[in-house]
Amino acid sequence: IMNGHINLGAMDLTLLPDKAALWGQEKTLFLSDVHFGKDAHWRKNGQYAPEVSASDLMRLKDLLEIYQIADVVVVGDLIGHIRPAMYHV
């Protein structure tokens, strides 16, 4: 899969096949709907869910190292389908 490129105003973004967009000049990585921990949450509640968090974290680690990322912006939710009362700040 090849990378794509888009321009948003002054931002020149590279669309990566890893479900991410890279703003190279600012060393910023944009991620969408990463859902870290969603598989563990489902299993805890008795639902089947394949292991995905470990592979997602390894992919993120690789992207951070390859592109020397300074900032990560998560667009969308981190974990879906969780009642607000379950979030602890």
Side-chain angles (χ1 to χ4, degrees):
I1 297 175
M2 296 179 58
N3 296 342
H5 295 277
I6 60 171
N7 292 314
L8 296 173
M11 296 172 58
D12 182 23
L13 299 177
T14 302
L15 304 177
L16 304 172
D18 302 287
K19 303 178 189 175
L22 172 66
W23 187 10
Q25 356 170 174
E26 296 296 325
K27 297 191 178 287
T28 299
L29 187 69
F30 294 89
L31 301 175
S32 177
D33 296 323
V34 289
H35 299 145
F36 292 131
K38 186 175 185 177
D39 49 349
H41 174 75
W42 283 5
R43 283 193 299 276
K44 180 181 82 172
N45 289 298
Q47 298 173 331
Y48 169 76
E51 181 70 37
V52 294
S53 292
S55 62
D56 286 345
L57 288 171
M58 286 301 293
R59 189 167 28 101
L60 175 58
K61 178 184 172 287
D62 290 344
L63 289 170
L64 295 175
E65 290 174 359
I66 291 167
Y67 296 105
Q68 303 284 301
I69 298 300
D71 295 300
V72 174
V73 177
V74 176
V75 181
D77 57 342
L78 292 173
I79 301 176
H81 310 295
I82 296 179
R83 292 174 292 165
M86 296 181 72
Y87 290 108
H88 300 284
V89 178

